[in-house]
Structure formats: C-alpha cells, structure tokens
C-alpha cells in the first residue's frame, strides 16, 4: 500500500482519509484546525505540523479544501516541498481555476492531477461513488490503486480543466432535473395535490423521456437537428407557453421554465421551427 497525505479535513477530506486508513494505506494528515485531526490520529493517521511536512511524508498528496483560493493559500506554505512530488487536487472550482492552479503547481516542479468528486462524503469508498480526473496520465496510472480505493476513477484527458468542466456539467444536468421537479411539484400542490402521490406518474415519465437523450446527443454532435423529428421545437414552444400560462393561473412562479421558453422562441424566430428541441443548444452556446 502507498503512502498518502491529505491536506484539508473538512467533511470530504475526512471521508477520504478515513477510507484510505480503512483500506490499509499509510496516511498523513494536516488541517489548519488541528483538533479536526484528532479522531483520525486515534484511527492511525500521522499528523503533520505543516503542509510542507505532510507533502514530504508521502508518495502522493491529496488536497481537498473549500475553494482554489484556500488551495493556493495552503500550498503557499509549502512551495519548496512541491518539487518532484505528486499532487491530486480535489477542490471544487471552474475549469479556469483548475488550469491556472495546475500551471502554478507545475511551475513549482510538481506533477498535477485535478479531480471532481461526484459523491457526498458518506459515499466515498462505496459503490456508486465516482471521481473524475484530468491532468497527468502518468500520475493517474502511478497511483491508480489508491485512487480506486476512494471511488470509481475516470481519467478524462491531459487538460487539468476537464475534470472541473465535466463535474459542473453533471451538476448542471442534476440541477435541471431538480428545477423541473420543483416547478412540477409547485403546479400539483397549487391545486391541493400531494407530491408523494404525483411521483408515481412523474418518475416513469422522466425515465421514458431520458430514453430520447441518445438521439438528441447524436443530433447535437452532428448538427442535424432536423433529422427524424417527432415533436418539433415549434410545437414544443407552444407547450412551454402553456406551462407558463398555467403557472400564472395557479399562482406559481414560472422562473424555472421561462428561460427554456425564451431559448426555444429564439430558435423558432430564426426560422427553425421544424428542428428538434436539441437545436436549443445552438442558442445556448456562443459561436466561436
């Protein structure tokens, strides 16, 4: 088993350290507030007095703090210890944050891998947890066993920003689902209905509609939004308008649905009413 240091013992950092200890790794920990390290020390972790000491103690260092400003502040205390070391950063941020931070770390002589955790702390080390990585493929392969102990590991490419991009893209899909659920629930409850009674209708419907995503993905990748259209965007715009009007009638805010209506309307106004709903992406993304 390898030697691993964890910098940052928030809820996620603690879960990472606990999992590695449980699976037989030698773990060194550091946290700005030392009291957070005490339960892990009782479980067998070594406590470093500084980030530099923690980095020097292990073959691999995993950094997991609240944001990239905090990550930079932690490593600013350990710049001289970074040369020749392997660093995995599991701090949440944007692709730009990851690329900039990765370049800074590389300039200090370390090998860098950025990661996006698609799990909550109790899921770490359990089935269903996924961590996306991007950056050095050599580092990824060198420490694959330790990374796989934390979650299913997926390396996306050399660009350090890719893990953050895919992380936030997955979250975007999740929040889109949540927003639709919340708006639908508001409509149902506006007439006295119970969301629990509505779910047996909603869940099979969402599952059935998710089956259309591969076709939409193919249309997006090919740009052929007009091919094999079952329900064109002109018709779907009418449905969106009706949802907005029904929301107004029921005293429900239409904030979640109106952006989709505006985007669909712009595509229709451009003379592309015959396209599939996938064509909305051409309005969303900026033309490069």
């Amino acid at each position: 088993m390898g030697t691993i240091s964890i910098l940052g013992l928030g809820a996620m950092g603690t879960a990472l350290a606990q999992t590695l200890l449980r699976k037989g790794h030698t773990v060194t920990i550091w946290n700005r507030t030392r009291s957070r390290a005490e339960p892990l020390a009782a479980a067998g972790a070594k406590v470093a007095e500084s980030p530099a000491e923690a980095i020097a103690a292990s073959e691999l260092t995993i950094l997991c703090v609240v944001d990239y400003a905090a990550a930079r502040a932690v490593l600013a205390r350990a710049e001289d210890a970074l040369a020749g070391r392997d660093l995995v950063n599991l701090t949440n941020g944007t692709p730009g944050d990851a690329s900039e931070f990765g370049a800074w770390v590389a300039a200090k002589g370390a090998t860098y891998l950025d990661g996006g955790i698609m799990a909550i702390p109790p899921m770490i080390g359990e089935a269903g947890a996924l961590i996306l990585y991007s950056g050095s493929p050599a580092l990824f392969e060198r420490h694959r066993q330790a990374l796989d102990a934390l979650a299913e590991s997926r390396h996306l490419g050399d660009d350090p920003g890719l893990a953050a991009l895919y992380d936030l893209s997955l979250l975007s899909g999740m929040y889109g689902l949540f927003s639709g659920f919340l708006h639908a629930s508001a409509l149902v409850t506006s007439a006295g209905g119970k969301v629990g009674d509505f779910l047996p209708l909603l869940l099979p419907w969402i599952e059935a509609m998710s089956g259309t995503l591969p076709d939409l993905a193919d249309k997006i990748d090919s740009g052929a939004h007009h091919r094999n259209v079952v329900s064109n965007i002109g018709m779907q715009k009418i449905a969106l308008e009706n949802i907005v009007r029904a929301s107004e009638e029921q005293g429900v805010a239409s904030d979640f649905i109106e952006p989709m209506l505006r985007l669909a309307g712009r595509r229709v106004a451009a003379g592309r009413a015959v396209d599939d709903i996938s064509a909305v992406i051409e309005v969303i993304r900026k033309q490069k």
Side-chain angles (χ1 to χ4, degrees), residues 59-78:
E59 300 166 350
L60 172 67
T61 295
I62 298 175
L63 176 62
C64 186
V65 291
V66 64
D67 56 29
Y68 277 79
R72 182 72 70 95
V74 169
L75 292 192
R77 304 174 56 182

Side-chain angles (χ1 to χ4, degrees), residues 72 75 79 81-89 97-114 135-136 139 158 160:
R72 182 72 70 95
L75 292 192
E79 291 186 33
L82 287 171
R85 315 306 294 189
D86 286 347
L87 178 73
V88 172
N89 181 29
D97 290 334
S99 295
E100 181 182 353
F101 190 70
W104 183 85
V105 170
K108 304 301 177 183
T111 305
Y112 184 76
L113 194 65
D114 201 271
S136 170
L139 188 161
D158 295 349

